[in-house]
Amino acid sequence: MDSKEIIQQIKNKIYHPVYLLHGEEPYFIDLISDYISENVLEAHEKDFNQTIAYGRDVKPEEIFALAKGFPMMANNQVVIVREAQDIKPPEKVFEMLTDYLENPQKSTLLVFCYKYKKLDGRKKAIKTAQNVGIVFESPKVWDSQVPGLIKTFVKDAGYRIGDKSTMMMTEFIGANLMRMNSELEKLYMFTKKGDEITPEIIEKNIGISKDFNVFELYKSLGTKKHDVTFKIIHYFGENSKENPPQKIIPMLFSFFNKIMVVHNTGVSPNRNSYGNKEDEYIAGARNYSIPKLIKIFDILREFDLKSKGVNSDKVSDDQLLMEMIIKVAYVQ
């Protein structure tokens, strides 16, 4: 099951004796455990029937002593172990979990939150947990997945968001889903239900420029509108802390890599992924041949090293960025 299905089961009061939540992406682990914490018990039941412990502060014996207890004046009790990866010794908790799951306390929801890595599915405890409860993996989120996730988050919250706004948020925040959700929650406060989160709303309330951002830089480079390109780079230079070369270079590499995809497939990634009618990638393919793209990748690698102090003359970030963009824009 994915996170939505698990949460829907909880909404329907379908509970399991154990929830083993693990994986590299903490956002969905927190999403599920927070929903359990906030919704299984009524407010007046939580004092005696809900325990939230942290792995570094609790021993395995204490966890299972709590789990074996009975609820007081409630149908269920909830035991949540946050940061479960910090439990010492780690192997003991799996041994005890295996024993516990042979005869789990049916009125208890025991929730383990193992963050930042995937558990070994070959362990007996994991296999046992799959048979009697929920084992949920929250895998690493890649940059390419972020636009789709933003649209899903916004749609689920009852709002709309366009491609430009989506890419502005993607480029500004990246794959940090916790921060992304927090920033979206802020935007919902300034948008009516059902309305669209526009670039203007983002610019006003988060501070991302709707005209001077990496999304617009892509478009200007792809269409060879050099006057726009250098206005954006000038803006980046005046705001170098928010737009360092180390942030811009990987994004440009991704952009030109997608132009290479157009050369190889004849299809715009925009149309495939986001339904975008603007074809900056197809325009880019017209303006940048494969030999030019290969040279651009070499330029980006060169300046990536320079931005990290390798073979660098200690020039400022804005100078470095300007020199790089000139070479890319006028590549022969």
Side-chain angles (χ1 to χ4, degrees):
M1 288 190 287
D2 62 22
S3 59
K4 285 185 180 180
E5 292 171 316
I6 294 170
I7 288 172
Q8 187 59 51
Q9 279 199 348
I10 297 165
K11 284 182 180 179
N12 295 336
K13 299 189 182 301
I14 300 172
Y15 303 142
H16 298 272
V18 66
Y19 293 81
L20 201 54
L21 315 176
H22 68 109
E24 294 183 63
E25 175 52 60
Y27 174 79
F28 295 104
I29 294 173
D30 285 345
L31 184 71
I32 295 169
S33 62
D34 287 348
Y35 192 86
I36 291 172
S37 171
E38 293 166 9
N39 293 280
V40 170
L41 299 174
E42 299 292 336
H44 68 275
E45 296 175 328
K46 291 182 181 179
D47 285 346
F48 295 106
N49 297 292
Q50 182 158 291
T51 302
I52 298 178
Y54 287 83
R56 65 180 179 274
D57 300 325
V58 68
K59 296 178 181 178
E61 296 87 350
E62 296 170 332
I63 296 169
F64 293 102
L66 287 165
K68 291 174 183 177
F70 292 91
M72 294 179 62
M73 295 177 287
N75 293 325
N76 297 97
Q77 70 160 341
V78 174
V79 179
I80 298 175
V81 185
R82 300 196 187 279
E83 310 297 337
Q85 71 276 4
D86 295 332
I87 299 172
K88 305 295 183 193
E91 289 304 320
K92 188 169 185 179
V93 73
F94 291 114
E95 292 173 8
M96 296 188 73
L97 177 61
T98 303
D99 293 338
Y100 171 76
L101 291 178
E102 290 179 359
N103 186 27
Q105 176 58 268
K106 293 182 180 179
S107 57
T108 297
L109 284 73
L110 177 58
V111 185
F112 287 95
C113 304
Y114 284 89
K115 295 181 180 179
Y116 312 117
K117 68 176 182 178
K118 178 181 177 179
L119 292 175
D120 186 350
R122 296 170 296 180
K123 289 181 181 291
K124 185 178 179 181
I126 311 300
K127 293 179 179 179
T128 306
Q130 287 173 332
N131 291 332
V132 301
I134 297 293
V135 177
F136 169 78
E137 182 190 350
S138 183
K140 178 182 175 64
V141 172
W142 301 99
D143 289 343
S144 60
Q145 296 174 284
V146 174
L149 286 170
I150 291 172
K151 291 193 172 186
T152 298
F153 290 168
V154 172
K155 182 180 178 181
D156 289 348
Y159 301 88
R160 294 179 293 113
I161 189 167
D163 293 319
K164 180 171 180 177
S165 296
T166 298
M167 295 311 296
M168 285 170 67
M169 296 293 290
T170 299
E171 290 153 5
F172 184 68
I173 298 171
N176 185 335
L177 297 190
M178 300 294 286
R179 183 182 171 201
M180 182 68 73
N181 187 63
S182 176
E183 296 292 355
L184 287 172
E185 291 284 352
K186 188 188 301 181
L187 295 174
Y188 300 153
M189 296 170 61
F190 302 98
T191 312
K192 291 181 180 179
K193 279 279 188 178
D195 283 357
E196 181 176 335
I197 297 172
T198 63
E200 289 76 17
I201 291 173
I202 294 172
E203 181 176 44
K204 183 177 179 181
N205 296 289
I206 296 183
I208 310 171
S209 171
K210 65 181 177 64
D211 297 315
F212 301 107
N213 54 71
V214 180
F215 181 69
E216 295 299 326
L217 178 62
Y218 293 168
K219 290 174 64 177
S220 68
L221 282 169
T223 55
K224 290 254 179 202
K225 293 180 179 177
H226 295 328
D227 57 332
V228 176
T229 297
F230 293 114
K231 284 179 182 178
I232 295 170
I233 293 302
H234 179 71
Y235 174 85
F236 284 178
E238 292 182 337
N239 299 271
S240 56
K241 287 185 178 180
E242 289 77 25
N243 301 282
Q246 296 87 347
K247 174 183 174 183
I248 305 300
I249 292 171
M251 294 178 178
L252 288 177
F253 185 90
S254 175
F255 171 70
F256 285 105
N257 192 53
K258 288 176 181 176
I259 293 177
M260 184 68 82
V261 169
V262 174
H263 277 294
N264 292 329
T265 67
V267 179
S268 167
N270 260 340
R271 288 179 173 175
N272 277 351
S273 301
Y274 317 123
N276 194 337
K277 295 178 182 178
E278 296 178 334
D279 290 316
E280 61 266 27
Y281 301 118
I282 289 178
R286 289 196 298 266
N287 288 315
Y288 299 95
S289 64
I290 290 178
K292 284 184 178 181
L293 289 174
I294 292 171
K295 290 180 182 179
I296 287 171
F297 292 140
D298 287 339
I299 292 168
L300 295 177
R301 291 188 187 96
E302 173 193 348
F303 280 85
D304 180 53
L305 290 173
K306 285 185 176 181
S307 73
K308 296 168 182 173
V310 179
N311 300 324
S312 173
D313 296 328
K314 295 183 178 180
V315 298
S316 64
D317 280 354
D318 57 320
Q319 290 175 308
L320 199 67
L321 200 56
M322 179 63 76
E323 183 184 352
M324 180 187 72
I325 292 298
I326 290 172
K327 286 190 173 185
V328 167
Y330 295 103
V331 67
Q332 295 297 318

